Amino acid sequence: MSQYFKDALALCRSIGHPSLFLTMTCNTKWPEITDMMKHLPGVKASDAPDVIARVFKLKLDQLIELIKKKNYFGRCIGLMHVIEFQKRGLPHAHMLVWLHPNDKPKSPGQIDQLVTTEIPDKDTDPECYEAVRNYMIHGPCGKDFSYSSCMANGKCTRHFLKRYNSNTYFDDCGFPVYKRRNTGAKVKCKGHDLDNRFVVPYNRDLLLRFQCHINIEICNNSRSLKYLFKYCLKGHDTATMMLRKSKGNGNVVSADNKSRQMNEVKNYLDGHYICASEASWRIFGFDIHSRWPSVDRLPIHLPNNKYVSFRTGESLQGVCDRADSRNSKLEAWFVANKMYPEARQYTYQEFPSHFTWLPRECRWKPRQRGEVIGRVSEVHATAGDLLFLRMLLMRRKGVFSFEDIRTIDGIMYPTFKEACGALDPGNLWQLHWQSMVDDIIHKKRKESDDNSLQLSELDIQNYTLAEIEKLLNDVGKSLRDFPTIPFPGEKYFQSDVNRLIAEETNYDVEEMSALHDSNLAKLNVEQRKIYDSVIAKAENNIGGAFFVYGNGGCGKTFLWQTIYAKLRSQRKIVLPVASSGIAVVLLPGGRIAHSRFHIPLKLDNCSTAGINHGSDLAE
């Protein structure tokens, strides 16, 4: 699913963000299923997962054909769907649809033609009224229905009931808010009258055609991309089980003090929950995921470091001989650049759109049909030279070898990192400096208290470079590490004040004091004991190390916040650090320890923290 997520982002890079998000859920009362049950006396639809899987696949194929080939919403240029299974066993599909730019719904009027969130009139449109009542009503839920499955902490996890709206618009996060008027129409659901505030967005024609829950949303804003793809590609349902020995009579052994010291690896299993419908779906060989256009994943490797597959018992010499005779996709790209002059105008990532990979022959040939998008495999930021190779591959065209990739302006550099240093930073600055300087004049006018201040283009660039230098210093780097980027003069750094100290003493004293007083009154006896011990050491400048132990949710973070507020209200510097990003989120002004103290990620006997003498961080 992680790879599918990256493939989806590659689609967005090539054809833009999706236009529609659609969810379709199986209906066990479809005529195809109920008619089949007549031939199986005594069998319910819930006991026939094979029938459910087959019928849902037929319905899904009809929907895809309607959208993809018959252009139901307009010209379709991309489509992706994922199949998931509810706990009760019913399959449902999440689908993303890319429409041609000219066919995307952009105005509120166009959106209202596709999506409806109102109950139709019972007299003038009784068929749609019944379909909405049966399939598109959420609830009842809310504070008066705390027992509803969608309720958590007193709120509906689906954010119902919605507000009335006279017009359609997009909120700040890019999610649509549909027209939902107070028309007075209501439906009876579980003994309660529900109005338009409980209607799930739907398309009238699709709802009547498929007679099932079929939710449709407009996603005309790129800010909602990450949510959409993570929602569609979050992965399968799982179940965590604990295994414990039992006595001979079958009774479970009670846990005593000794048995509490359990090995979690041996006692817990994390498994994939597979219901009967999913089992049937997989037995039939139906796709769990599909996307169009397809995405070709392009592996990368350093010279003499390509991946090689082999069979158990195969000789090492045989593996090496086969590896020498079979090019990787990257090596074959070099060969294709030599053979086909037209290939030299494309980067490695652009190549699959114009050439087809032949896996048996391990070579590329000119593409004759089909649409394919290339995606270069991701590389971790700590991968060393492999990372810089990837950066070069995203830009270089028409190269014949690894040596060519390292050759910049006729000079062959010994490493890919040095080649990047000669090519990337300078070009990056020249191409994008204008988009980095938007607030420089505003900041300088504010600092000088002169709203008429004017700066030359050279001054603006140097002030911007000075800001970049400060950011690089935070991570142990400097502009001097990139010779192709100019270094600003000393006057552009302006102040002798240590910026890090200024940041750590820039808290609102009154706000910190109010927060401290409020929290202090809420500390329990154990928290107060720890608080007094730490504050006493700090105020007397004695120093000390404290280890506070407690289970999750017992109030450790609340204690830390109280201590921080006390010290920061006195203009003292507190550096909260944690070992993981998840823990850092809970600490006000927190940083990961490796980042704050420049601790190397790979440690050995000679490792030292990368804090330079005389630097702002050292001070």
Side-chain angles (χ1 to χ4, degrees), residues 379-522:
V379 174
H380 195 271
T382 60
D385 231 21
L386 187 64
L387 172 66
F388 298 104
L389 169 62
R390 187 183 188 278
M391 294 171 63
L392 290 168
L393 286 173
M394 300 297 286
R395 294 160 178 80
R396 301 302 307 278
K397 302 177 181 179
V399 295
F400 301 154
S401 64
F402 286 105
E403 290 74 17
D404 279 356
I405 296 177
R406 290 189 278 113
T407 303
I408 307 296
D409 295 331
I411 301 175
M412 187 172 72
Y413 291 86
T415 64
F416 295 109
K417 179 179 180 179
E418 294 179 63
C420 273
L423 177 67
D424 282 347
N427 284 347
L428 185 69
W429 169 251
Q430 294 298 331
L431 291 174
H432 301 288
W433 72 267
Q434 290 179 329
S435 61
M436 302 181 189
V437 303
D438 290 343
D439 65 338
I440 291 297
I441 292 182
H442 173 74
K443 290 177 65 175
K444 296 306 169 186
R445 286 176 177 176
K446 188 174 181 180
E447 290 174 2
S448 63
D449 197 21
D450 181 5
N451 289 330
S452 62
L453 177 68
Q454 297 294 326
L455 297 174
S456 68
E457 184 176 290
L458 181 61
D459 285 336
I460 293 175
Q461 289 191 35
N462 279 301
Y463 278 124
T464 305
L465 288 168
E467 294 295 327
I468 295 174
E469 172 69 5
K470 295 173 185 177
L471 294 174
L472 290 173
N473 289 343
D474 286 348
V475 294
K477 298 291 184 181
S478 170
L479 284 174
R480 299 186 190 278
D481 298 333
F482 309 97
T484 56
I485 296 183
F487 193 87
E490 288 298 325
K491 71 173 185 177
Y492 294 103
F493 293 94
Q494 203 175 48
S495 175
D496 294 331
V497 176
N498 186 322
R499 184 175 59 87
L500 296 179
I501 292 179
E503 288 178 358
E504 294 300 333
T505 56
N506 195 33
Y507 290 93
D508 188 319
V509 173
E510 294 183 0
E511 181 182 338
M512 289 292 105
S513 180
L515 176 63
H516 166 261
D517 294 343
S518 173
N519 286 3
L520 185 64
K522 301 175 184 177

Side-chain angles (χ1 to χ4, degrees), residues 52-79:
I52 290 177
R54 286 180 181 274
V55 173
F56 184 72
K57 181 63 165 61
L58 291 171
K59 296 285 186 179
L60 180 63
D61 289 344
Q62 290 175 3
L63 178 62
I64 292 175
E65 182 180 14
L66 194 66
I67 297 173
K68 182 178 176 181
K69 297 182 179 179
K70 297 184 179 180
N71 297 329
Y72 177 80
F73 295 114
R75 286 168 290 178
C76 179
I77 60 174
L79 189 143

Side-chain angles (χ1 to χ4, degrees), residues 332-345:
W333 178 57
F334 298 148
V335 176
N337 284 333
K338 297 176 183 178
M339 293 178 58
Y340 305 104
E342 66 273 19
R344 299 167 193 169
Q345 58 183 313

